[in-house]
Each structure stands twice: as structure tokens, then as C-alpha cells.
Amino acid sequence: MIKKNVFLVLSIVTTLFSVQVFAQPQQAHLSWNSIKKDATSNTMTITWADNNHNKGLVKYGIDQRLTKTETATGKYSDTAKNYIYHATLKGLQPNTKYYYKCGSSEGGWSEQFSFTTAPPFGSKSKFVVGVWGDTQDNEFNEQFQKTAVIVQQLKKSPIQFMVHMGDIVDNGSVGKKWNGLFTTIQSVAAYAPFMPVTGNHDVDNDSASKGYQKPFPVFYDVLHLPANNIDYSYNYGNTHFVAISSGHAKGAEAAGNFTFAPGSPEYRWLEDDLAKARADKNITWIILYMHHPLYSFGWSHVTGWQNRITPLVDKYKVDLCLAGHRHVYERHKPIRNNEVLPQTDDHVYQKPAGTVYITNGTAGGSPQGLGGKDMPSMIFTNTVKEYNYAIMTIEGNTISYNVYNQDGKKIDYFTLTK
Ligand SMILES: [Fe+2]
């Protein structure tokens, strides 16, 4: 009997020990880390967390034998309290499905995931994008349970990647929030790159701090965006995506400490990026996304932000402008030079002479802030408080945009053609 109990205790201890040391890597997610024009066609960056320090590897290939290996870079994140690894696969074939797993021989492997690379740069073939924002874990979303519902909905569409309009977590300085987020979204982000902008909750909001309006160090541990910048761009097929960080917009405006002041490095980068994209014959569409909306109802409107960015939107004829921050879905008539242009069909933008502006938060933060029907530009705004996400399909000269609530019920749609 004593022998049997000793064996049982030993067995439990061994099991616990095994679980601790050989825990499966977690929080796997994809992104593009390169700024090369065709990065989405031939590269993929994989990031994951592990609770021990081994030689991190990605095993991958075009079939499930996973015959290729890439070595990861790993470091301990003091904030996330995990080892975070990332590896960039290079020289991939465009428009090709790859299988992969990440981890190490000593520490164990993730489950097997897959992704498909983008078609060649300039291709007009169809692709599908998941659009969401404001996944922040506030008091009603403490365990990201609301976000998890949206993840289940997003998975129903064949999305190739996701744009996210910021307020990724409720407090960007807290590691467990990032761990919770990436654990919650792994089932979609391990298959489709996650390309967010920062929101006011993701950055340092202490105006006395040196890092004011910048992400906390943990951001750079867990996210590997193009050139590790918070303002970045990438191409997918015939579309140029530009992501910009509006920092702490409202507070910054009050403090006279705004990003994107004309002449600032980030402003010059944005102008140069938009000018090059507009001149590139391979690019049909320019889609700009950010956290604070340029046109929106009420408290989310920040005049200083609008005054800085809209002249560039107008000058380079950005087609579609996506934002979050306000926890609603709202859509506007085309706008150029601050003038609302006529729109005959509420659901069809046919070669509009202005930019289409959309606010598409929230996928976790509590729905709020109804109103704005009386804005001259407003075509659609929620009449009920609900979470939302969108599925955007781009094919040649047409963008189809479908918006859903947390139950997968379609709440708005439109097409944009040129
Ligand atoms: Fe926000």
C-alpha cells in the first residue's frame, strides 16, 4: 500500500514537473515584419510565447511533413513574464498554403497551423480581410470573453489577414493583458496575420513621461510589425494598406503635444508613402487605418487629428479610411476637402470623388455612444448597442464590405468601385 502511494505521489510530481517544463508553446500569431513591397507574398513572421528558454524553431513546409526549419529569436519579456520567440520565414512562394508548428524539441511544439501567402504584388485576384478594433479587456470583457465571441465569428470567413484599429488591450503596460489577448485570438491569428494600430489604451498616456504616446516595451516583445514601427504600410495584391498611430489624440491635443505635426518625421513618412503608392500602377486601392476617427460623432472627434491627416487623405485620394475608438459602427458619405459629396445609393459608392470613412469598433470594449444621425455625412450608425466586426472582400476594382454584430447578423453592407 505504502509502495503504491509513493508511486502515485511520484507519478503526480512527475506529471506536474512535465507540464511545467514541457508546456506547449502558446499565443502563436502571424504578422508581416518586412517593409519590402512584396513582403506579404514571400515572407511570414511567427511569434509565440513559451515558459522556458530553449532553441525556438519553426518547422514548416508546403505539406504536412514540415521539411523546412527556421531558427527563432527569443527573449524573456519582463512584462509578459514569458519567453517570446519570433521567426521570419523568407523566400516563400506567392499564393501558396504553408503548414507550420513552432516551439522546440526540448520544450514541445505548438499544434500545427497553416497560412496562405499573398498573390504576387499587383495581382487583382480576390482576397478577404477581417476588420475589427477595440478588443480591450474592460470590466465586461475581463477574460476577453466578448472578444472570443468575435473570434469565433471571424473564423467563419476565409480571411487572409486582419486589420485592427487599436485599443488592442485595456492597458498596454500590463503583460497579462497581452497574454490574454493573444491566447484568445490564437485560433484566428495563428492562421491570418494580425496587423493592428495602437490606440490610446495601448500607449503611455502620462504626458510627463519620455515615452508619452509610445507603446510600452512589451508591445515590441509581442508584436513584430513592418520594420517594428507603429506607423507602417504593406501591400496585399492590388491594395496598399497604411497603418498610423494616433497616440493619445485628445489628451495630446489638449497638451499641444500631437503626433503627425506637418514636417514631423512621421508626417513626412506618411506623405512619402501615400505619394509613392498613388503613383504605383500596381496599386488600385489605398486603405488607411488608425484608432481615432477622422470623421465621427461626438466625443471621439479630435479636431487636431483631423486637421493634420485629412489634407493628406484628400491630396493622395485615399479610398477608404477605417478607425475605431468609438464603440459603434458608423459609415459616412464620401468626403473631400471637408465637403460632404452627394450619394444616390446608400449601399453603393460608384467611383466616388471623395474618401469613404468608417468607424468599426468594438470587438470587446463595451458598445456605447449611440448618436450622430444628424451629421450631414452620416449614412449609417447603430441604433442599438452591439459589438461589431467586418469582412472586407477586395477583387480588382471592387471592394465589398459587410458588417456583422456579435451574433453574426449582418448590420450593414456596401460596395465601393472604381
Ligand atoms: Fe480609444
Side-chain angles (χ1 to χ4, degrees):
M1 185 69 177
I2 290 172
K3 252 187 174 176
K4 203 174 172 188
N5 281 344
V6 168
F7 179 76
L8 188 66
V9 169
L10 273 175
S11 162
I12 289 169
V13 167
T14 308
T15 306
L16 285 174
F17 185 70
S18 303
V19 168
Q20 265 195 331
V21 176
F22 297 108
Q24 197 177 42
Q26 295 175 358
Q27 304 176 35
H29 54 277
L30 302 174
S31 63
W32 293 298
N33 195 198
S34 163
I35 53 169
K36 288 193 177 154
K37 258 187 176 179
D38 54 357
T40 60
S41 307
N42 55 36
T43 73
M44 188 61 79
T45 297
I46 299 147
T47 303
W48 71 95
D50 206 335
N51 62 1
N52 54 48
H53 194 208
N54 293 300
K55 187 184 176 190
L57 299 172
V58 175
K59 290 199 171 285
Y60 70 103
I62 56 170
D63 58 45
Q64 305 201 24
R65 290 176 300 155
L66 312 182
T67 52
K68 295 189 167 201
T69 302
E70 182 64 53
T71 303
T73 303
K75 70 174 248 198
Y76 186 74
S77 169
D78 291 329
T79 313
K81 303 274 186 282
N82 265 324
Y83 290 92
I84 312 280
Y85 293 88
H86 73 283
T88 296
L89 312 184
K90 295 177 183 151
L92 304 177
Q93 295 300 310
N95 210 11
T96 302
K97 184 169 184 176
Y98 284 86
Y99 299 87
Y100 74 97
K101 62 181 181 180
C102 50
S104 64
S105 311
E106 303 82 10
W109 296 96
S110 69
E111 60 185 280
Q112 187 171 289
F113 307 110
S114 63
F115 61 82
T116 301
T117 50
F121 173 49
S123 161
K124 290 181 182 294
S125 59
K126 177 176 155 182
F127 64 96
V128 183
V129 187
V131 182
W132 58 343
D134 300 83
T135 42
Q136 63 202 90
D137 47 321
N138 67 5
E139 69 270 35
F140 300 107
N141 189 34
E142 269 182 296
Q143 308 302 322
F144 290 98
Q145 63 272 36
K146 305 293 186 191
T147 302
V149 173
I150 304 293
V151 166
Q152 290 308 314
Q153 297 294 358
L154 274 172
K155 282 164 62 176
K156 292 177 183 170
S157 294
I159 54 173
Q160 266 95 30
F161 65 99
M162 295 172 278
V163 301
H164 185 296
M165 272 83 74
D167 282 356
I168 311 164
V169 294
D170 201 49
N171 182 343
S173 69
V174 180
K176 71 176 185 186
K177 291 179 179 286
W178 292 102
N179 293 335
L181 184 275
F182 285 115
T183 300
T184 304
I185 72 170
Q186 176 179 273
S187 66
V188 65
Y191 297 88
F194 178 67
M195 303 297 284
V197 290
T198 59
N200 48 298
H201 284 266
D202 305 313
V203 299
D204 188 343
N205 62 12
D206 176 2
S207 60
S209 159
K210 242 178 115 180
Y212 183 49
Q213 308 204 81
K214 294 192 172 70
F216 300 92
V218 65
F219 181 89
Y220 299 103
D221 295 337
V222 297
L223 278 160
H224 298 94
L225 300 169
N228 296 318
N229 276 328
I230 51 171
D231 306 311
Y232 61 88
S233 65
Y234 53 97
N235 301 305
Y236 197 103
N238 66 343
T239 305
H240 187 65
F241 290 85
V242 188
I244 56 173
S245 173
S246 49
H248 205 243
K250 203 146 203 160
E253 182 171 57
N257 188 4
F258 227 124
T259 55
F260 284 91
S264 63
E266 63 271 21
Y267 186 96
R268 282 185 280 130
W269 168 82
L270 178 59
E271 172 142 37
D272 183 56
D273 186 84
L274 292 173
K276 282 183 181 150
R278 205 20 107 209
D280 194 323
K281 296 280 179 286
N282 282 307
I283 293 171
T284 306
W285 301 102
I286 299 179
I287 297 177
L288 176 65
Y289 61 103
M290 63 199 71
H291 184 60
H292 292 83
L294 293 172
Y295 288 94
S296 183
F297 165 73
W299 55 268
S300 59
H301 178 84
V302 183
T303 305
W305 179 241
Q306 185 187 61
N307 289 346
R308 279 165 173 76
I309 304 299
T310 51
L312 294 178
V313 171
D314 292 330
K315 185 173 177 183
Y316 298 103
K317 298 185 167 53
V318 170
D319 298 287
L320 186 59
C321 217
L322 305 173
H325 189 55
R326 187 173 173 231
H327 294 178
V328 298
Y329 168 75
E330 65 179 31
R331 176 165 66 83
H332 297 259
K333 291 177 184 172
I335 300 173
R336 178 126 307 148
N337 300 326
N338 228 0
E339 187 190 334
V340 180
L341 304 176
Q343 176 77 354
T344 50
D345 184 328
D346 274 1
H347 294 285
V348 180
Y349 299 90
Q350 187 116 34
K351 297 184 182 170
T355 300
V356 177
Y357 291 88
I358 287 170
T359 307
N360 215 152
T362 173
S366 298
Q368 58 185 192
L370 304 181
K373 272 190 167 257
D374 51 344
M375 272 183 87
S377 62
M378 191 77 80
I379 291 184
F380 182 99
T381 186
N382 284 116
T383 51
V384 292
K385 294 185 179 184
E386 55 194 348
Y387 298 91
N388 68 63
Y389 67 98
I391 301 296
M392 175 167 65
T393 303
I394 301 181
E395 184 169 18
N397 290 358
T398 302
I399 295 178
S400 306
Y401 199 96
N402 291 289
V403 188
Y404 304 89
N405 71 7
Q406 64 281 350
D407 303 320
K409 182 185 160 214
K410 194 185 281 192
I411 58 176
D412 185 40
Y413 64 93
F414 69 87
T415 57
L416 170 57
T417 59
K418 62 163 40 176

